Amino acid sequence: MLRVRGTTYHFRRIVPPALRVALKRREIWVSLKTGYQNEARKRASLLHARTTELFSQTHLALSEPDALSRLEGLRVSLRDLQSVNLPSSAHETGSVPVSAPRPKPRTVKKPARAPKAQPLMLSGALKRFVLDSPHASADTKKATQRAVDLFLQAFGDAPVSIIGGEKAGAFRDLLFSLPASLGKRKSSLTLEEEAQRVREEGLQTLSGKSVKNHMMRLSALWNQLHQRELVTRNPWTGWNFENGQKTVRRSWTAKELALLASASWHSTSVPEQTFRLVTLIAAYSGMRLGEICTLRKEDLQTVDGIPCFLIRPHTETGWAPKTEAGTRMVPVHSKLIEAGVLVLTETTEGPYLIPGLETSKQGVRSAALGRAFSLLKTRIGLPAEITFHSFRHTVSTQLRNADANIREVWIDRLLGHEATHKSQGTTTYLTSISTANLKQTIEAISYPETAFANMTI
């Protein structure tokens, strides 16, 4: 009798064949107006009793002389079920049949009752036992607030007493479908839209460790509720956080780059020239796909006599680099200058440096190119561990294996990584790296001639 549409339970019952003509229905379908299974079962039980009584009265009406008038009243009662405001149990409604008129209550003075205690809601539990607790650290408050906020965005507020394993499991599955960058950038998307963006663009999802951290914060809150006998059990424990075998992305080989360079382009949503241009910039800069596609004309500037890409937040659109370290300066490689990248500021129409791209409904300018690249990769037989992000792996690997005198901290600054070398000198005293040093680092990137042969803009 219970069916789920989206996150809401519904009651469904088939009308007996002998009564379908009389009631003009084959089935009864009523929203139970709740996403919690225990509550839905109580409401479905009440509706089952009501419909059973209605079927019985219909059988009797069919044998009576004034069947037509009686049946019309029963049909009205049946329609009323569709919009009934269901209480949580039969005890609250009494046992009066659906179609039977209720007797007029006699006026009886009753002693005043104490107001019914309101159930403890999840938002209230967070405030009472975490945010207002003098014993909880600032990190605990922040992390628990984040976990609860995600749950409330997905399922809404609810009494803690009815949040069980079903909702905990649904929350775990949802977390595994969200992008790894969740919370690291401003976004107006709903969680469902974020999950859809992951599927469309093939983005990396939250790690098992991140999902486990969110679940552990809720588990710690539930431990307090259980100790105070506000809940009967803790549904947030005992879960597995392995989400299948993760594909480890790696660098391109020379053979794979040659295969990519020789592949024919079939996408109708992105021009081939745009694809080749973005690929070339990624290979000679290590920049992320989203960073390249959102470059504006004013983000290509000369600094200390050296042409550079400036990766920085866009206040007009709300776009920002993935991390704080992602705001950086990347000198333009000599191969890109030879290919004609510098003339894009004069030849491209509109505010963006890269032509031929449209912004998706989710506000992502790289979405169409990301999908087109994934289709091309599959068509030409590249392995799963090779993605567009592999250009960053390739650049990082080349620079760390270069014979030139390149410091590790220069590579990290160029790629927008937090410094891997956490000495006092790098964390306290290193405030800037010269453009010349970054230029020396970028020029250490090189490829075989077959990789990007005759690529011009």
Side-chain angles (χ1 to χ4, degrees), residues 58-111:
T58 305
H59 274 295
L60 292 174
L62 289 174
S63 63
E64 295 177 358
D66 59 340
L68 289 178
S69 61
R70 288 279 289 130
L71 288 175
E72 183 58 33
L74 292 170
R75 292 185 194 121
V76 171
S77 297
L78 181 58
R79 286 197 298 270
D80 290 344
L81 282 177
Q82 310 301 314
S83 58
V84 68
N85 189 13
L86 292 169
S88 61
S89 69
H91 175 73
E92 297 175 12
T93 61
S95 56
V96 179
V98 177
S99 58
R102 292 180 178 269
K104 186 177 181 179
R106 290 180 296 177
T107 304
V108 178
K109 291 185 179 181
K110 295 182 178 180

Side-chain angles (χ1 to χ4, degrees), residues 27 52 90 93 101-102 155 167 175 190-191 236 250 276:
E27 66 176 29
T52 298
T93 61
R102 292 180 178 269
F155 305 110
K167 274 294 180 284
L175 291 175
T190 65
L191 295 184
W236 303 100
R250 61 167 174 80
R276 302 295 179 191

Side-chain angles (χ1 to χ4, degrees), residues 165-199:
E166 180 192 22
K167 274 294 180 284
F171 185 58
R172 170 192 174 279
D173 296 342
L174 172 66
L175 291 175
F176 270 121
S177 70
L178 298 175
S181 60
L182 186 72
K184 297 178 182 177
R185 61 180 183 85
K186 292 183 179 180
S187 175
S188 59
L189 304 182
T190 65
L191 295 184
E192 183 178 345
E193 289 170 339
E194 290 282 12
Q196 181 182 353
R197 188 170 71 91
V198 167
R199 293 190 294 270

Side-chain angles (χ1 to χ4, degrees), residues 308-354:
C308 296
F309 296 115
L310 304 182
I311 305 169
R312 51 190 177 175
H314 299 181
T315 55
E316 70 277 12
T317 63
W319 183 88
K322 185 177 179 181
T323 63
E324 184 178 347
T327 300
R328 64 197 189 279
M329 179 175 63
V330 179
V332 181
H333 195 287
S334 57
K335 288 291 185 180
L336 296 179
I337 297 176
E338 291 175 14
V341 165
L342 300 186
V343 304
L344 289 173
T345 56
E346 302 172 1
T347 58
T348 303
E349 296 182 359
Y352 290 102
L353 188 69
I354 307 299

